[in-house]
Amino acid sequence: MCGIVGYVGDRKKTVGVLLDGLTRLEYRGYDSSGIALMDDGRPRVFKSTGKLENLKKKIAKHPLEGLLGIGHTRWATHGDSTEKNAHPHVSAGTSVVHNGIIENYSELKEELIRKGFKFYSDTDTEVLAHLIESCCGGDLSFEDGVREAFRRVEGSYAVAVISDRAPDKVIATRRFSPLIVATGDHENYLASDVPAILPYCRNVIFLEDGDVAVLDKNSVTITDIDGGPVKRDVQTINWDPVSVEKCGYRHFMIKEIHEQPQAVLDTMRGRFSEETGEIFFEGFEGSPYKDINRIMALACGTSYHASLIGKYMIETIARVPVQVEIASEFRYRNPILDKQTLAIAVSQSGETADTSEALHEARAGGAKTLSITNVLMSKIARDAERVIYTHAGPEIGVASTKAFTTQLLVFYLLSVYLGRVKKQIDREKAAELIRDAIRLPQLMQMTLRLDDEIKDLAKEFFHYRNFLYLGRGISYPVAFEGALKLKEVSYIHAEGYAAGEMKHGPIALIDDEMPVVLIAPNDGITYRKILGNLQEVRARRGKIIFLTSDTTPEELRGSVDRVIEIPACNYLLSPLISVIPLQLLAYHIAVLKGTDVDQPRNLAKVVTVE
Ligand code: F6R
């Protein structure tokens, strides 16, 4: 949670770069924001509560320049969303922005109060500003003072500091929270994530835990916490800057829904041979998983739903048993692990604290570890022994859409890979499964043509206060995902259920005020059964939205309120298609309700608290 930026270079650019960077990081938190600028050797701080827009308006009243500066967009943890709790926090001439949680802040605070420092906020971050100031007295240089301070700090942090003690420098350090440095021509940048700097430069250094970076206009020096030199590679990022723009769409969510065919194509590119049925994943040389006899998928939220679908794929194709675990629960139940277990951490952001902790637990228990993530060099990507990246591009809308479908594709390709390794499928079958995947972008494109139809549907249904989503087999996790999308962006109460479970309780909820979305691609396996569930809902006057790939649903037309026809495809890939109308429905209902679609209340894109 929280996004930080820093810049040193052209004094006329500083304010623009900081505000622009924060705009691109607003998905990380959006309840207050602030910047600090260094001009004429003196720091100046501006803060505002609420959306970044408020800070921009405030700053527009004061034409500002500064050789360097830092900025922050906040998702509150310690202290509510007031201006006094917004970052930067200040001690004398030192200003600090921070993403993370300082675990020993109470002890440090008491000590600093005894030394005479005065606290004005309820945050843990203010401790850092005073601690740095207290360490900088005497003979220590500012940089050494910062290192000295962070030797005493426990917890997670990505921090940027500026001070009148070194008015031409931005100093940054990290532990467990992400931070990148980007290098330009006589200017250098700092940010929590790549999108913030994408319009300005492509050369990026991913800082590692314990790194301390000192940026001035012409150089970046990285050391460890004791001042020892550290060498980090510069990586070139090839994301297109338009990927972080709305490009004419009203919201990032709808843009990202429409980007799914491309995202899936990018994720499959170069990863298989249609002729030989082979799957290629970087780092998989030497068949590292030929001896595994069990898989545990660890994930939260939408990534958890993707994992539930991944279970169907892997168990069907590779016949390896898969357990799917809610990451926040995994470490509290003493899980049984061994070296024949493969633990797969699934996370769009690669930063989710619950998933990261679950991954550590799995590793400590002796399991082999793999991550599926969308963010290059993210914590979860680095902490697992191997990583498969989804190539969805930056996902800015808080509600996950294209990350979900690309995770599903990776699970599918992994299933084919394991199917071959475990000798469950032959070359021809693998090639056939690959051919099914190749058709996906086109099928997704066809499904996206339902956009207008679903917009109409939303008009009919947006005033309902509850929704039920039902699915069977591989579609039941899709029901979970459809319900999650609706609740997070429209604030309508929605539940996802395995359709067969309905008669064991939820059926009591059904009346004419309850729309029921039935997800029923004609899979030849569970379809007939779900038609039975449909009649159960009908008999109780529930409103039915029927999502099917059946081309002859005429017999049903009298029994359902609306039919959404989706293209037919391989059963195991059907969730990549059937989820699209559900994403669109959630989106259009949210727009009609006037909610903040890309930044729904109380949420943050990256959840780094447990
Ligand atoms: C829902 C959503 C969340 C995330 C969850 C895990 O739309 O985005 O439920 O899926 O917070 O996030 P990652 O995948 O980044 O670990």
Side-chain angles (χ1 to χ4, degrees):
M1 334 289 239
C2 301
I4 70 173
V5 288
Y7 173 78
V8 51
D10 178 344
R11 62 186 321 110
K12 292 209 182 311
K13 263 176 83 175
T14 307
V15 174
V17 168
L18 294 179
L19 292 178
D20 192 35
L22 290 179
T23 307
R24 291 166 211 285
L25 293 181
E26 217 182 355
Y27 70 87
R28 301 178 68 89
Y30 34 82
D31 50 40
S32 59
S33 53
I35 61 169
L37 292 175
M38 187 66 72
D39 206 17
D40 294 334
R42 280 183 317 114
R44 298 178 70 190
V45 174
F46 297 83
K47 303 183 191 189
S48 190
T49 54
K51 289 294 190 69
L52 188 61
E53 232 14 75
N54 300 346
L55 179 70
K56 287 182 182 168
K57 281 187 197 140
K58 197 172 198 175
I59 289 175
K61 293 185 195 143
H62 312 260
L64 289 174
E65 285 187 5
L67 170 70
L68 56 85
I70 53 178
H72 187 269
T73 180
R74 179 167 189 250
W75 189 88
T77 53
H78 291 70
D80 53 12
S81 313
T82 53
E83 195 160 315
K84 74 171 183 185
N85 289 332
H87 299 212
H89 290 285
V90 175
S91 181
T94 296
S95 299
V96 175
V97 291
H98 164 222
N99 166 31
I101 293 182
I102 306 305
E103 283 163 10
N104 59 340
Y105 88 100
S106 307
E107 298 102 274
L108 292 171
K109 186 169 178 175
E110 275 171 31
E111 178 190 316
L112 289 159
I113 289 172
R114 280 198 301 275
K115 285 187 179 167
F117 286 95
K118 286 211 164 26
F119 281 77
Y120 298 96
S121 77
D122 310 315
T123 66
D124 50 343
T125 304
E126 195 179 358
V127 160
L128 298 178
H130 294 313
L131 184 65
I132 291 168
E133 267 299 307
S134 86
C135 290
C136 280
D139 297 339
L140 286 188
S141 69
F142 181 56
E143 294 162 37
D144 285 339
V146 172
R147 286 192 197 94
E148 176 67 20
F150 278 92
R151 275 198 280 272
R152 306 210 36 215
V153 174
E154 288 164 23
S156 60
Y157 49 80
V159 168
V161 191
I162 59 172
S163 176
D164 56 4
R165 295 173 182 276
D168 57 347
K169 292 187 167 85
V170 179
I171 304 195
T173 183
R174 62 154 278 182
R175 181 169 184 260
F176 301 150
S177 296
L179 195 57
I180 59 159
V181 168
T183 55
D185 192 13
H186 301 296
E187 56 182 3
N188 289 305
Y189 301 76
L190 196 66
S192 296
D193 198 359
V194 172
I197 55 87
L198 216 46
Y200 307 104
C201 49
R202 299 301 176 82
N203 297 330
V204 168
I205 300 166
F206 292 86
L207 295 180
E208 301 210 355
D209 285 348
D211 286 357
V212 178
V214 179
L215 284 66
D216 63 26
K217 208 170 141 85
N218 296 311
S219 68
V220 174
T221 315
I222 305 175
T223 65
D224 62 21
I225 194 81
D226 298 317
V230 162
K231 184 155 173 32
R232 298 279 172 243
D233 294 338
V234 178
Q235 312 219 14
T236 306
I237 302 294
N238 52 18
W239 281 353
D240 187 338
V242 301
S243 61
V244 291
E245 305 292 344
K246 285 195 196 134
C247 299
Y249 285 95
R250 185 163 165 200
H251 297 100
F252 279 109
M253 182 177 175
I254 188 71
K255 174 179 178 246
E256 289 162 3
I257 290 173
H258 280 272
E259 280 173 351
Q260 291 179 105
Q262 188 62 44
V264 160
L265 190 64
D266 291 343
T267 301
M268 67 173 78
R269 186 170 288 130
R271 283 189 160 151
F272 51 70
S273 155
E274 211 184 323
E275 285 78 46
T276 63
E278 274 174 292
I279 301 285
F280 311 112
F281 290 126
E282 224 180 280
F284 275 44
E285 299 78 20
S287 288
Y289 303 131
K290 68 174 180 306
D291 297 327
I292 58 154
N293 59 16
R294 185 172 65 137
I295 290 175
M296 281 185 169
L298 315 169
C300 307
T302 288
S303 298
Y304 172 74
H305 301 155
S307 306
L308 289 173
I309 295 166
K311 171 184 168 77
Y312 274 80
M313 294 172 169
I314 295 174
E315 291 188 347
T316 306
I317 299 176
R319 307 301 295 153
V320 179
V322 182
Q323 237 168 281
V324 184
E325 302 277 345
I326 294 179
S328 56
E329 291 296 324
F330 182 67
R331 58 198 289 236
Y332 298 110
R333 63 167 188 69
N334 199 6
I336 300 163
L337 297 153
D338 57 31
K339 62 181 185 341
Q340 286 179 296
T341 303
L342 170 63
I344 309 181
V346 186
S347 171
Q348 185 285 130
S349 61
E351 269 185 69
T352 302
D354 290 324
T355 311
S356 168
E357 289 303 324
L359 175 64
H360 288 164
E361 183 80 24
R363 210 172 167 157
K368 295 188 164 61
T369 56
L370 170 68
S371 62
I372 298 176
T373 180
N374 192 40
V375 178
L376 190 68
M377 300 288 283
S378 55
K379 180 162 172 36
I380 289 171
R382 288 194 277 189
D383 288 353
E385 290 153 357
R386 290 181 185 76
V387 53
I388 305 176
Y389 286 110
T390 49
H391 296 305
E395 192 179 64
I396 311 283
V398 164
S400 194
T401 53
K402 59 179 179 170
F404 176 71
T405 38
T406 53
Q407 285 169 352
L408 294 184
L409 179 74
V410 166
F411 267 118
Y412 182 80
L413 297 180
L414 184 62
S415 309
V416 178
Y417 170 83
L418 291 172
R420 289 291 289 132
V421 169
K422 292 287 183 186
K423 302 198 183 344
Q424 293 295 323
I425 52 171
D426 59 20
R427 209 183 224 255
E428 284 68 37
K429 181 68 189 172
E432 180 193 320
L433 291 168
I434 288 170
R435 280 195 296 279
D436 289 341
I438 292 172
R439 291 178 59 225
L440 269 172
Q442 195 194 351
L443 296 175
M444 295 174 102
Q445 207 70 61
M446 284 162 66
T447 314
L448 284 163
R449 290 192 204 123
L450 293 167
D451 199 355
D452 286 342
E453 184 182 331
I454 289 172
K455 198 169 174 179
D456 273 356
L457 186 72
K459 285 183 197 146
E460 216 177 294
F461 283 89
F462 80 99
H463 60 277
Y464 286 94
R465 301 185 57 184
N466 300 286
F467 272 72
L468 205 54
Y469 288 71
L470 301 177
R472 273 183 182 262
I474 203 163
S475 297
Y476 108 80
V478 181
F480 291 170
E481 179 58 9
L484 177 61
K485 285 294 88 97
L486 186 69
K487 40 189 161 190
E488 65 185 334
V489 297
S490 75
Y491 316 148
I492 293 174
H493 172 242
E495 298 289 341
Y497 261 96
E501 272 292 286
M502 194 180 58
K503 56 188 176 294
H504 299 291
I507 199 163
L509 294 170
I510 294 176
D511 61 17
D512 58 3
E513 284 299 304
M514 175 68 86
V516 178
V517 183
L518 275 166
I519 302 137
N522 189 353
D523 55 12
I525 306 170
T526 61
Y527 187 60
R528 283 280 137 205
K529 290 261 187 300
I530 208 159
L531 295 186
N533 300 130
L534 184 155
Q535 297 307 339
E536 290 159 12
V537 175
R538 197 69 200 161
R540 285 152 188 91
R541 292 178 296 119
K543 297 256 176 288
I544 300 174
I545 300 170
F546 190 66
L547 188 67
T548 184
S549 59
D550 192 349
T551 48
T552 54
E554 224 27 70
E555 51 165 309
L556 302 173
R557 292 213 180 250
S559 318
V560 302
D561 294 86
R562 291 292 287 256
V563 176
I564 303 172
E565 278 184 46
I566 52 174
C569 66
N570 169 334
Y571 164 64
L572 291 174
L573 290 170
S574 63
L576 285 97
I577 303 298
S578 59
V579 78
I580 292 176
L582 307 185
Q583 296 167 340
L584 289 168
L585 184 64
Y587 172 75
H588 289 300
I589 288 181
V591 170
L592 287 167
K593 292 198 73 185
T595 60
D596 192 341
V597 175
D598 283 335
Q599 293 168 352
R601 67 186 181 203
N602 307 336
L603 296 177
K605 182 81 185 155
V606 186
V607 187
T608 52
V609 290
E610 282 182 64

